[in-house]
Amino acid sequence: GEDVEQSLFLSVREGDSSVINCTYTDSSSTYLYWYKQEPGAGLQLLTYIFSNMDMKQDQRLTVLLNKKDKHLSLRIADTQTGDSAIYFCAESYGNNRLAFGKGNQVVVIP
Amino acid sequence: EAQVTQNPRYLITVTGKKLTVTCSQNMNHEYMSWYRQDPGLGLRQIYYSMNVEVTDKGDVPEGYKVSRKEKRNFPLILESPSPNQTSLYFCASSPQVANTGELFFGEGSRLTVL
């Protein structure tokens, strides 16, 4: 499969911004995704970006895509305690495969 | 309520005792997939299915079987479980076959093989 790299842990104070980074390998990926996994639950799709876009904003979430460096980031503004979770980036490859990163645990400190 | 349902949620078993983890979705999705989640390794795909009677190996299929006789069900079968199959398993489905990144996940099945 494809290789998607993420750092593993981030702590952030409530109200601050958090930024999670990810690098991917397949330059032909059509879509790139961010998933959130809350404790004891399955993953939920947070947002995605089409590969011909540089940025996508959705309320408190901003996704930045640097295609040249194959770098994807997720910025969460005004981080809240409910944002404590593991965040996975993922890239599509082929027409029906999805490669996930190892996940980045975000801990929000009240 | 639209959902992906897995059973059992928790299971402790012994080496060699065949088991099946069921997965059912009520969203009429064509695409279904199984993943395992292990610390430090993220999610790895075991098997996936594009439609009824169509299944393909993912990245870590060894020791697993699947079947897709009906659209809604995609059971994961461990014929002879071993301790290295101790993991957290997720079933997922997608409404799109061509772009399967929009996955809907079950709540997970935590399996321990002694």
Side-chain angles (χ1 to χ4, degrees):
Chain A
E2 302 302 314
D3 194 23
V4 181
E5 296 290 333
Q6 291 182 252
S7 54
L8 294 180
F9 185 82
L10 173 70
S11 67
V12 60
R13 293 202 178 276
E14 191 173 13
D16 288 350
S17 294
S18 359
V19 179
I20 308 164
N21 296 299
C22 167
T23 57
Y24 61 96
T25 55
D26 189 348
S27 58
S28 65
S29 293
T30 307
Y31 292 93
L32 295 128
Y33 303 85
W34 283 103
Y35 277 82
K36 178 184 182 184
Q37 184 182 29
E38 295 182 2
L43 281 71
Q44 286 184 300
L45 180 64
L46 260 186
T47 187
Y48 65 92
I49 188 167
F50 192 53
S51 59
N52 69 353
M53 298 169 65
D54 297 322
M55 186 183 88
K56 179 179 179 181
Q57 186 145 6
D58 184 0
Q59 299 182 333
R60 292 188 298 117
L61 305 177
T62 303
V63 179
L64 294 177
L65 176 59
N66 180 330
K67 289 184 284 294
K68 174 175 169 291
D69 296 335
K70 298 196 185 86
H71 183 263
L72 182 73
S73 69
L74 175 69
R75 178 177 180 272
I76 306 173
D78 185 27
T79 310
Q80 298 164 11
T81 54
D83 295 325
S84 290
I86 302 175
Y87 292 82
F88 292 91
C89 67
E91 64 166 336
S92 60
Y93 67 100
N95 275 333
N96 48 36
R97 304 293 301 275
L98 198 65
F100 286 89
K102 293 179 174 53
N104 188 314
Q105 177 141 25
V106 173
V107 174
V108 180
I109 303 163
Chain B
E1 182 190 350
Q3 59 187 0
V4 178
T5 305
Q6 297 178 225
N7 279 296
R9 295 286 316 279
Y10 302 91
L11 179 63
I12 300 174
T13 190
V14 295
T15 299
K17 186 176 181 182
K18 180 180 178 180
L19 69 92
T20 298
V21 186
T22 63
C23 174
S24 180
Q25 50 94 4
N26 61 1
M27 296 170 280
N28 202 36
H29 289 170
E30 290 187 345
Y31 182 92
M32 296 185 75
S33 182
W34 277 102
Y35 294 87
R36 59 178 289 174
Q37 182 178 14
D38 300 289
L41 297 175
L43 265 78
R44 294 178 292 168
Q45 190 176 42
I46 304 171
Y47 269 96
Y48 63 98
S49 170
M50 303 276 283
N51 212 328
V52 175
E53 302 291 0
V54 179
T55 62
D56 282 293
K57 295 178 181 179
D59 297 315
V60 288
E62 294 77 21
Y64 304 94
K65 285 172 61 177
V66 292
S67 69
R68 188 89 184 275
K69 295 187 173 61
E70 307 162 284
K71 198 171 188 178
R72 63 184 293 130
N73 295 322
F74 189 44
L76 179 70
I77 303 153
L78 285 73
E79 293 272 4
S80 182
S82 61
N84 65 12
Q85 292 177 299
T86 292
S87 187
L88 178 58
Y89 291 88
F90 287 101
C91 180
S93 69
S94 176
Q96 302 178 57
V97 173
N99 167 26
T100 52
E102 187 184 355
L103 289 166
F104 292 78
F105 281 80
E107 292 188 309
S109 296
R110 185 167 291 282
L111 171 65
T112 301
V113 183
L114 301 175

